[in-house]
Amino acid sequence: MGDAAASEDDSEDDDEMTDEQMMAMDDAIGAAFKSMTSKKRDAAAIQLQKRNFTLRVMDLADAYLTRNSGVENSFVFVTPLLNCAKTRTPSEISKKASKLLTSNFCNSKRKICKTYDQEAALDVLDRLAADIQTYNGIEYVALVQNITFFVFKCLRERFDACQEQLTKCLQTMIDGHFAKKTTHTPLKFLQDVTERFPELIPLMIPLTKKYFTDAPNVYKKASAVELVIKAYSSGKKLLSSFVYNFLISERRCPQNRNRNDLGHLFEIRSFKARSKGSC
């Protein structure tokens, strides 16, 4: 028994750490925490460098656009600046990018450049049509709408040459509002498009008609009719006649003749009343 007790005491002594071993362990743990803190500090320093570099590049872009926003090559800045501006939480970078786009393109006092690359402009328009359906902060939503109007202005004299691409883009915007119960695409934005660019009305109305009956709720059906009424009342006389004749032909279709849904009733009453003074 004495030998067994002695061996147990020896094993316990072996398990205990000496002062030198404890000091070494403390140093190792301290070095590990120091290394972790150093990595976080280095990562923060790298992010700060990236931020400052981006801001300096924007300063160069600002200097160029201040003098050359009306030239054809300036359009290459639109997509990178949109990428910088797209964020839910405003930052110094997103605010500066929004300011550059707004001051040098949307609100520029220079004459609108009508020679921007057509394919590049349509690509930006497709991107904007997708962006406007998702929420990325109030500032970015407003920016997307203004840039969309700007691109439409640039393409205005070439609408006929790119009807297919424009129809696809407008389809995305219209479906984004009317096909869902909740949406981030404002009805006011679509109404503003018809008011500012009546040339697009013949493309938008056929895309909107199905939502007179197929929208997910009564509010969306009424909104579809409201959009058409807005197009009818704000468009030029020729386009107003187009809208009116379009709706009358829809009403006279055999499959629509006996429908009494909200959309058709509201549509036909409103347009008959307005047609007396307009068409």
Side-chain angles (χ1 to χ4, degrees), residues 164-181:
E164 183 178 350
Q165 297 95 320
L166 286 172
T167 301
K168 180 182 176 182
C169 176
L170 292 169
Q171 179 84 66
T172 302
M173 295 179 182
I174 291 171
D175 289 348
H177 178 81
F178 293 108
K180 304 174 184 177
K181 291 183 179 180

Side-chain angles (χ1 to χ4, degrees), residues 1-8:
M1 292 293 292
D3 294 339
S7 63
E8 289 179 0

Side-chain angles (χ1 to χ4, degrees), residues 101-208:
L101 286 167
T102 301
S103 60
N104 292 297
F105 294 103
C106 303
N107 298 336
S108 176
K109 295 181 180 179
R110 299 176 184 273
K111 188 176 180 180
I112 291 291
C113 179
K114 299 177 182 178
T115 58
Y116 288 135
D117 181 71
Q118 180 173 308
E119 292 302 320
L122 290 170
D123 287 343
V124 170
L125 206 55
D126 285 339
R127 181 249 173 87
L128 294 169
D131 280 356
I132 203 170
Q133 297 183 58
T134 58
Y135 181 76
N136 293 287
I138 297 175
E139 293 81 1
Y140 187 72
V141 171
L143 177 66
V144 165
Q145 294 181 30
N146 289 330
I147 292 293
T148 302
F149 294 145
F150 166 75
V151 177
F152 278 144
K153 287 179 184 178
C154 298
L155 293 173
R156 191 165 215 156
E157 295 184 357
R158 292 178 280 177
F159 278 167
D160 291 339
C162 53
Q163 281 196 12
E164 183 178 350
Q165 297 95 320
L166 286 172
T167 301
K168 180 182 176 182
C169 176
L170 292 169
Q171 179 84 66
T172 302
M173 295 179 182
I174 291 171
D175 289 348
H177 178 81
F178 293 108
K180 304 174 184 177
K181 291 183 179 180
T182 59
T183 178
H184 296 295
T185 306
L187 177 63
K188 179 65 166 58
F189 167 72
L190 297 174
Q191 292 175 341
D192 287 345
V193 171
T194 64
E195 184 174 356
R196 298 187 186 193
F197 306 97
E199 304 94 326
L200 296 177
I201 290 177
L203 299 180
M204 295 181 68
I205 299 306
L207 300 176
T208 308

Side-chain angles (χ1 to χ4, degrees), residues 26 39 60 92 124 133 208 229 235:
D26 289 342
K39 288 181 179 178
L60 291 175
E92 187 175 359
V124 170
Q133 297 183 58
T208 308
I229 290 176

